[in-house]
Amino acid sequence: MIVIPNSINSESNDAIFKRAVNRTYIGFEKEKNREWRQSYHFIQGADTQFGMIETYLKHKTDGKWDEEIQLTEEAIRQWNSMKPKPKFVVICGDLVDDFPGHEPRRQRQLDDFMHAFEKLNRDIPLVLLGGNHDFLNTPTHESIAAYKTNFGDDYFTFWVDGCMFIVINVQYYKDHQLVEDLYAEHDQWLTKQLAEAKAGNYKHVIVFQHIPWFLHNIDEPLAENFEITVRKRMIQKFVDSGIRAIFAGHYHRNAGGRYKELELVVTSAIGAQSPTGRNANSGYRVVTVNEFNISHEYIDIYKSDTKSVFEFNLFCLMTLIVIAFIIQKFIMI
């Protein structure tokens, strides 16, 4: 049974976590963001997935999520210190590890997720979307309602400085057998958004989702992603509408590929990395939006150019050791 809380957010927290309302995002409405101003960057992360490291990688039956908290808070510290600040941070799904219905453990993970992101500078908007661990592999009306109670709309559109961003609930295309009505509503909505993307004369139109349509090549075998006919139908719709970039997560490794003019970017996890075919450390992606192109770079949280608290603490420790050694030598003279 999935418990739908009355609200796990205070009114102030709603301003952080529930800004996706009425299929748009408060502060990034179309009317205020039609004009291109200047180049900017945003942060794309995925799979904070509080609880996965100890449960999945360390095989603990009642694992904790201290490592995910530490990684997330260090990433947030780096984002807060960036100059100029990111226009926004988007987390592409699997916010926590336990599925809806796994209470009270999932509730504790959600509480800790929110507590961590309360540390994000309030000048940096937080854009959230769900993944299969947020909606279930086979979504239900209850699981979707529970997500929306915590985080607002499960799909929406927003605009930033002449660019359009479309956030989709890709789980409907993975398995909608229990939510045929919600899938139909989403698909009709997406068709309208793609028509707007094609006609809107935007500098760029970018899609955010959790599970990627493919990992490297549109013709690759099914693997853990989408059946080929669904994959090709959807990708062609995006190409026909002028979409030039899709950012996703889910894979816990870095991947990506191109189809015609469209680039699909798969970003590894802020949290646990896949033990199979691992090709990254925990990290996030910095995406730079210029007037005529989009570029991106994956940032290892522990190797960021932004000086980390881990490096600082080690520096302080070594400094204290040196000072103690000098004092000891001085006393002995």
Side-chain angles (χ1 to χ4, degrees), residues 9-56:
N9 303 318
S10 66
E11 185 175 343
S12 61
N13 275 355
D14 283 358
I16 305 172
F17 300 106
K18 292 184 68 174
R19 294 175 67 171
V21 179
N22 297 323
R23 302 300 174 207
T24 190
Y25 186 94
I26 297 171
F28 285 151
E29 296 88 354
K30 177 180 175 181
E31 295 74 17
K32 300 176 182 178
N33 286 279
R34 284 304 305 259
E35 299 301 321
W36 172 261
R37 292 181 175 85
Q38 61 184 2
S39 298
Y40 59 88
H41 67 278
F42 65 84
I43 303 298
Q44 185 240 347
D47 302 279
T48 42
Q49 208 153 339
F50 283 21
M52 182 177 175
I53 291 175
E54 290 201 1
T55 301
Y56 182 72

Side-chain angles (χ1 to χ4, degrees), residues 64-270:
K64 302 186 186 307
W65 43 91
D66 294 345
E67 291 183 62
E68 286 94 341
I69 291 173
Q70 186 180 42
L71 286 161
T72 299
E73 289 186 346
E74 170 57 18
I76 290 170
R77 191 202 66 78
Q78 293 173 15
W79 303 337
N80 286 343
S81 67
M82 288 180 176
K83 296 180 180 179
K85 285 185 170 60
K87 277 287 187 180
F88 60 89
V89 170
V90 57
I91 307 296
C92 288
D94 281 3
L95 311 181
V96 301
D97 188 55
D98 278 54
F99 287 99
H102 291 190
E103 308 299 346
R105 180 179 162 87
R106 175 177 171 82
Q107 184 63 60
R108 295 198 302 270
Q109 292 173 348
L110 287 169
D111 289 343
D112 286 344
F113 173 87
M114 291 188 169
H115 181 69
F117 273 94
E118 285 171 355
K119 296 177 173 65
L120 182 66
N121 191 307
R122 295 301 174 91
D123 293 334
I124 306 174
L126 176 64
V127 178
L128 298 173
L129 57 140
N132 54 306
H133 281 258
D134 305 303
F135 299 131
L136 296 173
N137 289 322
T138 302
T140 66
H141 287 85
E142 283 185 310
S143 68
I144 297 296
Y147 176 87
K148 293 173 71 173
T149 297
N150 293 335
F151 300 115
D153 288 346
D154 58 321
Y155 57 94
F156 52 95
T157 309
F158 65 97
W159 291 261
V160 179
D161 292 357
C163 299
M164 180 181 183
F165 296 87
I166 305 173
V167 174
I168 69 172
N169 184 344
V170 78
Q171 206 62 34
Y172 290 138
Y173 297 90
K174 187 69 173 170
D175 188 344
H176 55 259
Q177 60 181 303
L178 300 181
V179 287
E180 291 279 358
D181 56 332
L182 300 182
Y183 161 73
E185 290 175 12
H186 181 283
D187 202 49
Q188 292 170 10
W189 169 87
L190 180 57
T191 297
K192 292 180 180 178
Q193 305 315 302
L194 294 179
E196 168 71 17
K198 189 173 184 178
N201 195 31
Y202 299 107
K203 291 295 182 182
H204 305 285
V205 182
I206 295 172
V207 171
F208 297 124
Q209 60 188 73
H210 179 58
I211 302 177
W213 300 106
F214 58 85
L215 297 175
H216 303 287
N217 187 293
I218 195 169
D219 292 310
E220 68 197 17
L222 174 61
E224 59 188 271
N225 298 301
F226 292 87
E227 193 273 327
I228 290 179
T229 56
V230 174
R231 177 194 308 167
K232 289 189 172 183
R233 173 173 61 86
M234 295 305 297
I235 287 293
Q236 192 61 55
K237 286 178 68 171
F238 291 127
V239 169
D240 291 344
S241 302
I243 310 301
R244 293 296 175 262
I246 298 175
F247 289 88
H250 182 66
Y251 191 47
H252 294 259
R253 285 155 278 184
N254 282 324
R258 290 183 177 272
Y259 178 74
K260 297 182 178 179
E261 298 86 8
L262 185 148
E263 181 181 17
L264 193 157
V265 182
V266 183
T267 297
S268 196
I270 290 174

